Amino acid sequence: MVDLSNVTNKPLKLVFLVHFVLITWGVQGFWSPDSFLFYNSLFILTLLWAIHNKESDDPLQIALIINALSILFDVIVLAVYFPTNFRTSERFSVAMTILNLVIRPLTCVILCRLSSERGADFPGRGTFGDIFGRGDSVAPGRPRAAYDDIDNPSGHQSVPGVVTVDGSGGKQPPPYHG
């Protein structure tokens, strides 16, 4: 018997397994278009990337975006390509696609929580500037500097000093290299 107590990253692997099975069963029918396989393959690949890269939250955020968009895509695919023949294989394929669609919102919540655990800071918790970086910095890792007025130099600005040109100790302005 397989010991599942030592498995790491269980929720993410469970999400992968459930969607992998449902997507596989969903594309078995002849009704589904190639685009259905394409965006679901991208979703599965980002989940595999997230399982492999345990430190970064980027793969989880990309998987979350693809999964959220896939809800809309699944609705459109089901509305446009719903099969007209009701063979058993087609009904089973559509039923698995509908079940996959129903599970996707729960998957979004799970991916959001996993991404937060890995250190992601989602927009909407702070200011609009948080979408592009932390609200307290200009760029990630670089603190915001105070405004320096170039018309009124203060003591903390660096002004070129004088340099010694000859060994006699006479000070001369720096040479112009233009």
Side-chain angles (χ1 to χ4, degrees):
M1 187 81 190
V2 178
D3 183 23
L4 296 178
S5 63
N6 296 333
V7 175
T8 60
N9 221 353
K10 287 180 190 177
L12 187 57
K13 289 179 181 177
L14 182 65
V15 165
F16 169 78
L17 183 65
V18 167
H19 282 287
F20 180 75
V21 169
L22 292 176
I23 290 167
T24 302
W25 286 340
V27 297
Q28 286 182 352
F30 295 108
W31 68 275
S32 62
D34 293 337
S35 62
F36 181 75
L37 180 61
F38 175 72
Y39 66 81
N40 280 301
S41 296
L42 285 178
F43 178 61
I44 291 297
L45 286 174
T46 56
L47 288 177
L48 287 172
W49 180 28
I51 290 170
H52 174 71
N53 191 358
K54 296 178 178 95
E55 290 82 27
S56 178
D57 62 320
D58 291 340
L60 285 172
Q61 289 182 357
I62 293 172
L64 177 64
I65 291 169
I66 292 173
N67 191 42
L69 288 173
S70 293
I71 294 171
L72 174 67
F73 297 156
D74 283 349
V75 169
I76 293 171
V77 164
L78 284 169
V80 174
Y81 294 99
F82 195 81
T84 55
N85 60 355
F86 288 104
R87 295 187 332 211
T88 305
S89 63
E90 298 294 314
R91 283 188 286 168
F92 179 75
S93 176
V94 169
M96 294 302 108
T97 301
I98 292 171
L99 183 59
N100 192 33
L101 174 61
V102 168
I103 291 174
R104 282 194 189 274
L106 176 65
T107 302
C108 283
V109 171
I110 292 170
L111 290 175
C112 188
R113 285 186 181 164
L114 290 174
S115 187
S116 293
E117 288 174 7
R118 288 190 184 182
D121 191 20
F122 288 104
R125 292 185 179 169
T127 63
F128 182 72
D130 287 342
I131 295 172
F132 303 106
R134 307 245 349 139
D136 56 354
S137 67
V138 176
R142 193 175 88 206
R144 181 183 303 262
Y147 173 73
D148 291 330
D149 188 4
I150 60 173
D151 293 330
N152 185 11
S154 61
H156 69 276
Q157 287 183 330
S158 64
V159 178
V162 291
V163 295
T164 303
V165 175
D166 55 7
S168 67
K171 301 211 178 214
Q172 304 232 347
Y176 175 73
H177 299 286

